Amino acid sequence: MTDEHDSPRPEDDAARLGLVVVGEAAALHSGDDAALDASEQNIIDTIDDLVDEPLTDRQEQVVQRLASAGGTLTAGLSGALAARSGRSVDDVLEGAARSVLWQQRLADGDGDAGGQQREDAGGQQRDRRDDDGRDED
């Protein structure tokens, strides 16, 4: 029988996967082949660590592609947010990683997430828009 503290909580696994996706997005933005290869290996290693039983080849490919697709979406959205906000993509991705960790702390029952204020990715506050979708001053 295993102790309940021996296995990670689903929230911890989700945070780990979230950080893998952010890492994939950072690798995509870097354009560095070595970073992309390392990110792909990180996806594979993370999946291997998280599953209780070996996946079939097809299941493993699907999960890897889902993680990669999440990274691609994150890369695209972070690039768009960076362009819109005048911040660097690195700042936006750092904010995304902080958001993942904040969510994990919140799941730990730490209502104020370690005393940190909740921020949108990249430290951006939501734009205020009127009913027509225009920015308010």
Side-chain angles (χ1 to χ4, degrees):
M1 182 176 220
T2 62
D3 183 29
E4 70 180 358
H5 299 289
D6 288 344
S7 62
R9 298 171 317 124
E11 295 87 353
D12 297 334
D13 290 344
R16 187 172 175 197
L17 287 170
L19 293 174
V20 166
V21 167
V22 172
E24 176 74 359
L28 287 166
H29 270 289
S30 77
D32 179 9
D33 287 340
L36 288 168
D37 291 343
S39 178
E40 184 176 313
Q41 188 59 50
N42 190 32
I43 291 170
I44 292 167
D45 293 345
T46 300
I47 292 166
D48 287 345
D49 286 348
L50 293 178
V51 296
D52 295 330
E53 296 181 24
L55 299 174
T56 66
D57 288 341
R58 177 156 166 56
Q59 289 171 327
E60 190 168 335
Q61 288 174 355
V62 168
V63 174
Q64 288 172 4
R65 291 210 173 125
L66 282 171
S68 183
T72 300
L73 288 169
T74 302
L77 292 171
S78 63
L81 181 57
R84 177 163 168 78
S85 66
R87 298 180 77 106
S88 74
V89 172
D90 290 340
D91 286 345
V92 174
L93 290 172
E94 182 181 327
R98 281 195 314 268
S99 294
V100 168
L101 295 174
W102 183 88
Q103 187 66 36
Q104 182 185 23
R105 288 186 195 117
L106 187 63
D108 285 340
D110 187 4
D112 68 355
Q116 299 174 351
Q117 274 191 318
R118 182 175 183 181
E119 296 178 341
D120 291 340
Q124 302 299 307
Q125 299 299 318
R126 296 196 195 295
D127 290 333
R128 292 183 181 200
R129 299 191 184 266
D130 63 16
D131 290 336
D132 295 322
R134 291 179 291 220
D135 290 339
E136 292 180 352
D137 294 308

